[in-house]
Amino acid sequence: MKPILGYWDIRGRANPMRMLLHYVGVDFDDKRYTDPNEYYGKDLIKLSEVLDFPNLPYYIDDEVKMTQSRAILHHLGQKHNLVGSNHQELARMGVIDEQVIELIVSLVSIAYPPDVENRKEIHQKLRMEYVAALPSKLAAIANFLGKDEWMGGKKLTYIDFIIYDALDINRRLFDPKHFNAFPTLVAYVTRIENLQGIKEYLSSDAFQPMPIFSPVALFGNTKDYTFTE
């Protein structure tokens, strides 16, 4: 059967999976939900029969039926030999993955502040704090990469698609000058963008740079979103 990757019709958590599948040349069904009722009112009932923890994103192929974005990426990395070659590379992959999760969690908190009367003020405060800390966060990632081509070391792994996505999201949500101040990160991102399969994906209609978040988010929530600080 053709593999199925199911997620909302946004960039969200699915883009690293889409990148990986396009890179390895897998012909898959990129199922994107635009109507919540299609998922909650229809597909969720059927998916609950085959998924242990029904949720989005989900991935189904001949071997597995699974949810949880990191688990899906780990499975695809193992299946397509996009994992570290030794304990040192595996350790580096784990470290940078956790570090980037912190960035993404912070962005989600900014996008979806508590539903209270002053949520826009909370959003703005969190956003300003994030921007102030962003250069040091990017510097740490650049230092971690060092002179290596890839985050795990000398070999491209599934972690690189996760890191690419996080870096690209930051340069789209905020002034690109923060990202462009680090030539090694610019070169790293360019290296990934020029990979066979990735280059074609990023130039196709299948790639969705925006929206990153759902329509109820306070930023990064429309196709024509541009940064403001």
Side-chain angles (χ1 to χ4, degrees), residues 173 210-214 217-222 225:
L173 286 177
M210 290 283 175
I212 295 166
F213 304 116
S214 72
L218 293 189
F219 78 150
N221 58 343
T222 60
Y225 176 86

Side-chain angles (χ1 to χ4, degrees), residues 98-160:
E98 292 285 350
Q99 185 64 30
V100 167
I101 285 176
E102 291 183 12
L103 283 180
I104 299 302
V105 168
S106 296
L107 288 175
V108 170
S109 298
I110 299 169
Y112 305 102
D115 189 14
V116 293
E117 186 175 348
N118 64 331
R119 71 190 302 256
K120 290 186 177 180
E121 288 79 7
I122 295 174
H123 163 78
Q124 193 60 34
K125 178 177 182 293
L126 292 173
R127 187 167 170 170
M128 291 175 63
E129 292 173 350
Y130 185 92
V131 170
L134 186 56
S136 64
K137 299 289 188 182
L138 292 174
I141 296 173
N143 289 337
F144 182 86
L145 176 63
K147 296 181 180 180
D148 289 325
E149 287 194 348
W150 312 110
M151 286 295 169
K154 296 181 179 180
K155 180 184 177 184
L156 175 74
T157 69
Y158 73 88
I159 287 294
D160 291 295

Side-chain angles (χ1 to χ4, degrees), residues 7-21:
Y7 193 61
W8 300 115
D9 188 27
I10 61 174
R11 183 170 180 166
R13 298 183 177 186
N15 192 54
M17 303 170 209
R18 293 168 181 154
M19 290 181 69
L20 190 156
L21 290 166

